[in-house]
Amino acid sequence: MGTYALTGGASGIGAALAASLKEAGHEVITVDIKDADIVADLSKPEGRQAAVAGVRERAPQGLDGLVPLAGVAGGGPPGTLITSVNYFGTIEFVNGLRDLVGQKQGTIVLLCSNSATMQAPNDKLLNALLSGDEAESLRISEAEDNGMHYMVGKRAINYWMRRNCMEFAKAGVRMNAVAPGPIDTAMTAPLFEDPEMAPVMQGLLDATPMARMGQPEEIVNCINFLLSPESSYVCGSVLFIDGGYDAHTRQDHI
Ligand SMILES: NC(=O)c1ccc[n+]([C@@H]2O[C@H](COP(=O)([O-])OP(=O)(O)OC[C@H]3O[C@@H](n4cnc5c(N)ncnc54)[C@H](O)[C@@H]3O)[C@@H](O)[C@H]2O)c1
């Protein structure tokens, strides 16, 4: 049986993934700001360092898989928090543990989103994120709090994965991403109740061929596939799990 580490294990997709891996008999190390094996605030460099150190202490033999799911979204959190948790909380956790995953020739699955393609790619924030400059990324996020940070951050995670999959593969680590559409979790529930956001969310569902939200388990099944040997030649891929929204709205793109 394997050893897996994931962030965001206290809720939603992360909680469902932790339960599924445990049910399959694996050891699971969870990181979250609450209710986790390692309680750490991934919005802060000290929290990320504590998370990495905590996983190292619990899995000196290496990791079979790593899934950074912790994230924030919606109209509530400021852009700076979205940027620091979703992008830097992901990339620093992954970079800090790459050698441990390599030790077991393991697999990483990143959390992108189908919203990553919903705005133009050339963006100051995107470039700042990809250059790894957190101070500049936070400065832009604060100055331009335009509601785009979530999408830009998810696009940056996708680009970062594609830019780094060669280096990771050489270190024995296969890396892929999933891009869910709206999934029924604590992250999306408030959006359907917000008078401003509810019509936007409904518009997304109206343009979804399967005409419904997804359930956390439907994402977990795909993550489990990407973590497993059944996906042994899948590397650097983004799997859209969105009821067909991306295909329908970007028909001639690949
Ligand atoms: N739900 C969706 O519709 C959807 C769609 C696309 C992508 N995603 C992505 O999937 C991932 C999981 O989302 P979810 O829907 O399960 O959300 P969720 O809100 O249910 O869970 C997110 C988890 O992240 C944790 N977290 C938040 N801030 C943190 C911090 N500073 N430090 C440590 N942990 C922190 C929360 O405590 C929570 O347990 C996220 O990366 C999200 O962007 C979700």
Side-chain angles (χ1 to χ4, degrees), residues 6-213:
L6 57 94
T7 69
S11 171
I13 304 168
L17 178 63
S20 154
L21 288 167
K22 281 180 191 165
E23 201 180 309
H26 299 298
E27 187 189 336
V28 181
I29 304 164
T30 59
V31 177
D32 205 295
I33 201 163
K34 59 179 187 213
D35 305 332
D37 299 317
I38 302 163
V39 173
D41 180 356
L42 296 168
S43 72
K44 306 260 172 9
E46 315 81 76
R48 296 170 204 147
Q49 282 152 21
V52 167
V55 173
R56 287 190 166 281
E57 197 182 312
R58 285 170 174 78
Q61 77 288 0
L63 292 167
D64 296 272
L66 188 70
V67 190
L69 294 114
V72 288
T80 47
L81 187 65
I82 294 177
T83 294
S84 61
V85 177
N86 293 14
Y87 186 79
F88 292 100
T90 292
I91 304 303
E92 284 185 23
F93 187 70
V94 167
N95 275 334
L97 294 168
R98 185 183 82 175
D99 62 321
L100 229 53
V101 187
Q103 240 169 274
K104 287 192 141 189
Q105 306 281 290
T107 310
I108 295 172
V109 181
L110 303 179
L111 264 291
C112 188
S113 161
N114 76 343
S115 67
T117 58
M118 293 180 195
Q119 45 77 51
N122 286 325
D123 182 272
K124 272 187 291 178
L125 177 57
L126 184 70
N127 293 332
L129 292 170
L130 288 167
S131 71
D133 188 339
E134 186 166 7
E136 175 64 0
S137 302
L138 293 178
R139 195 195 61 71
I140 298 169
S141 299
E142 192 165 14
E144 300 174 17
D145 210 346
N146 54 13
M148 292 296 175
H149 305 93
Y150 183 84
M151 301 181 211
V152 177
K154 293 298 186 181
R155 183 187 283 270
I157 285 177
N158 179 9
Y159 285 16
W160 183 88
M161 176 194 69
R162 293 166 73 92
R163 291 178 184 189
N164 285 281
C165 64
M166 171 69 100
E167 201 187 319
F168 274 57
K170 282 186 175 157
V173 178
R174 205 158 53 79
M175 184 158 62
N176 291 287
V178 291
I183 307 302
D184 189 7
T185 69
M187 183 176 276
T188 46
L191 302 179
F192 281 94
E193 280 153 28
D194 179 329
E196 212 172 292
M197 284 307 294
V200 177
M201 299 306 287
Q202 189 53 49
L204 294 180
L205 296 185
D206 291 345
T208 299
M210 294 193 65
R212 65 170 174 85
M213 296 181 84

